[in-house]
Amino acid sequence: MKTIPSDQTLGAEILGVDVSVPLDTETIKAIYQAILDHCVIYFRNQTVTQQQLVDFTNYFGVAVEHVRKQAPRDVSEIFIVSNVKEKGQDIGALGNAELSFHSDLSYMPKPGTLSLLHAIEIPSTGGETTWCDCRAAYDALGQDLKQSLEGLRAVHQHYVEAQNPPEIIDHPVVITHPDTGRKSLYVGPHLTKHIIDVDPAESERILGLLYRHLANPTFHWTHEWQVGDLVVWDNRPTMHRREPFPETERRLLWRTQIYNDVAPQA
Ligand code: OGA
Ligand code: MN
């Protein structure tokens, strides 16, 4: 196995691993270490069945069915991300529109750890995914701002009301990674609503400032998808966004996600 880091602070390509076959503990440890170091890793030219993708996911935790229900299927842990329609029905989620920065499932009390996406069909243009290094973004804040964020919590909500749990969910604005001890910003324009226990104008001021900060390309790394790619990312130290793509083109990815019994911690 060989790790080729990107020229940004996050993102790395992993060479020499076939994710469809059983892997030894040493390789699994090395892959997890690469995820901790680089936040997002990718393997090119992979051929896997849905069950093999779930088996690979399970090396890093417990693959669970996505909270958003999809049509009954053979491997229930697989979530279809696609704009493709069959007989007038969406076969998957997320369509073809732009998605702004978010950390997956942050509207849940326990958002989990890693997400994986395996590319089956990719449009000829658009649909690139960009990850933001929220560790680097936190580190780059001034000392005073870091101090003023301490203890703050923000509400996270999905824009599809039915997808939210019955209770209002809030998480720390700055979280600490349980395995690396590194702090990172944990707010994004797609799912974060407001900071609690401060007045609305102050919440808007702080979030606006943090969103402008996270938008700085020095913290970003963009993946240009190819069929056969498998991308694995840690949602705790990152946010991601997706470019739109033409609705006349097909994009289809298989996704898995890992449960975590621990809520994000300050
Ligand atoms: C996701 C997601 C982005 C993409 O599956 O959580 O944000 O590029 N996908 O499809
Ligand atoms: Mn996502």
Side-chain angles (χ1 to χ4, degrees):
M1 165 176 155
K2 195 167 175 211
T3 304
I4 319 256
S6 77
D7 52 8
Q8 295 294 98
T9 62
L10 78 173
E13 180 172 8
I14 308 291
L15 300 175
V17 176
D18 175 354
V19 305
S20 73
V21 299
L23 298 175
D24 57 68
T25 16
E26 215 168 292
T27 306
I28 296 161
K29 262 177 101 174
I31 295 171
Y32 189 61
Q33 191 58 50
I35 296 167
L36 293 179
D37 293 341
H38 305 289
C39 299
V40 196
I41 59 168
Y42 66 98
F43 308 82
R44 287 222 130 119
N45 301 313
Q46 300 292 319
T47 310
V48 286
T49 64
Q50 293 193 340
Q51 188 56 53
Q52 286 167 341
L53 181 58
V54 171
D55 292 344
F56 177 73
T57 304
N58 279 326
Y59 286 138
F60 308 101
V62 181
V64 284
E65 199 173 326
H66 197 280
V67 286
R68 195 159 167 185
K69 292 285 167 267
Q70 291 189 324
R73 54 211 182 279
D74 293 344
V75 184
S76 61
E77 296 91 340
I78 297 283
F79 184 73
I80 304 291
V81 171
S82 186
N83 66 319
V84 173
K85 287 186 197 296
E86 272 169 19
K87 299 192 192 105
Q89 296 275 336
D90 287 324
I91 65 161
L94 304 184
N96 69 307
E98 178 185 351
L99 297 171
S100 57
F101 273 132
H102 63 281
S103 180
D104 286 340
L105 298 166
S106 72
Y107 50 91
M108 298 299 290
K110 293 172 178 175
T113 57
L114 313 184
S115 296
L116 292 81
L117 272 177
H118 176 48
I120 307 297
E121 291 184 70
I122 289 302
S124 61
T125 177
E128 301 85 359
T129 311
T130 295
W131 279 265
C132 178
D133 187 340
C134 299
R135 315 165 301 182
Y138 175 78
D139 290 347
L141 296 174
Q143 204 50 45
D144 288 354
L145 186 51
K146 280 182 182 161
Q147 244 158 35
S148 71
L149 297 179
E150 247 172 65
L152 294 185
R153 300 178 69 86
V155 168
H156 293 245
Q157 249 165 20
H158 198 272
Y159 47 97
V160 179
E161 189 42 60
Q163 212 170 307
N164 288 303
E167 69 275 30
I168 304 281
I169 300 305
D170 61 74
H171 298 298
V173 168
V174 176
I175 63 170
T176 304
H177 197 293
D179 298 330
T180 65
R182 282 191 70 176
K183 290 187 175 191
S184 56
L185 287 171
Y186 195 67
V187 288
H190 195 49
L191 299 172
T192 308
K193 296 299 151 192
H194 60 268
I195 297 175
I196 60 173
D197 298 333
V198 303
D199 71 64
E202 178 64 357
S203 162
E204 229 173 275
R205 186 189 71 79
I206 299 170
L207 289 178
L209 184 150
L210 294 178
Y211 295 166
R212 284 192 297 280
H213 182 67
L214 292 167
N216 185 334
T218 54
F219 307 130
H220 298 173
W221 171 75
T222 297
H223 186 62
E224 315 246 353
W225 291 94
Q226 294 177 10
V227 170
D229 285 350
L230 173 64
V231 177
V232 183
W233 70 94
D234 191 341
N235 283 291
R236 296 164 291 185
T238 61
M239 301 259 157
H240 55 283
R241 72 164 187 231
R242 183 189 71 190
E243 299 299 329
F245 59 96
E247 63 181 350
T248 49
E249 298 237 7
R250 292 169 64 97
R251 188 175 188 269
L252 170 61
L253 302 99
W254 295 345
R255 193 193 125 122
T256 55
Q257 49 281 317
I258 296 180
Y259 178 74
N260 187 13
D261 200 29
V262 185
Q265 300 292 316

